[in-house]
Amino acid sequence: MFQPSNLPAILESSRRRNGEDGLSGVLVYTGTGFLQVLEGNRAEVLGVFERLLIDRRHRSVSVIEMGEIERRSFGGWTMGFLGASPEIDARLEAAIGPVSGLDRDPVRRVELLRATLLLLVDAPISLLWREGLT
């Protein structure tokens, strides 16, 4: 079971490995689960995905969209981080305290959130949700 106190180690490891592999992305913690966007060379992205699939700590892993992109949305971050709401961020900080490496700059956080949401809204699976076909 995930413990918020594990988040700094998860981010540190993700940022280190993504940097080594030339990947970028963002991790969103909702309070009950995670959403992750990965960008980079297909082989490296698939390598990370395969590691997630065999890691027993991950459950119900789903791919929302996978494909080629013209330019990265998160090129400036080896692994950006967002909580889903100020309340979740406050609970996380209460559990783990201030953590270096978490993106606290409000402008950067808004930019990360906007890019993440745009990716989700534009994903083919979201068309079903928006059109009420599910």
Side-chain angles (χ1 to χ4, degrees):
M1 192 73 165
F2 172 74
Q3 298 295 319
S5 59
N6 295 335
L7 189 55
I10 291 169
L11 287 171
E12 180 182 343
S13 174
S14 296
R15 288 172 172 164
R16 180 182 44 77
R17 290 183 86 165
N18 286 356
E20 292 168 359
D21 292 339
L23 299 176
S24 56
V26 63
L27 180 68
V28 179
Y29 176 56
T30 67
T32 59
F34 291 91
L35 163 77
Q36 183 174 13
V37 177
L38 283 174
E39 302 170 318
N41 179 285
R42 180 180 290 271
E44 278 75 22
V45 170
L46 289 175
V48 171
F49 186 67
E50 288 172 5
R51 286 194 305 268
L52 294 176
L53 287 175
I54 61 173
D55 186 329
R56 290 184 165 173
R57 296 173 294 179
H58 296 88
R59 306 218 189 303
S60 303
V61 177
S62 300
V63 175
I64 295 173
E65 180 178 17
M66 184 179 291
E68 302 287 325
I69 56 175
E70 289 186 26
R71 73 172 186 51
R72 294 183 185 206
S73 297
F74 305 101
W77 295 282
T78 54
M79 184 54 64
F81 173 78
L82 287 171
S85 70
E87 294 80 21
I88 290 171
D89 287 347
R91 280 196 330 211
L92 181 62
E93 284 200 9
I96 63 176
V99 180
S100 65
L102 294 180
D103 294 311
R104 296 290 175 221
D105 178 357
V107 174
R108 289 184 61 172
R109 291 176 63 80
V110 167
E111 184 179 334
L112 274 171
L113 184 57
R114 180 177 293 128
T116 305
L117 292 175
L118 285 173
L119 283 174
L120 290 175
V121 167
D122 290 339
I125 196 169
S126 71
L127 295 175
L128 297 175
W129 296 335
R130 286 186 291 186
E131 295 171 7
L133 300 176
T134 57

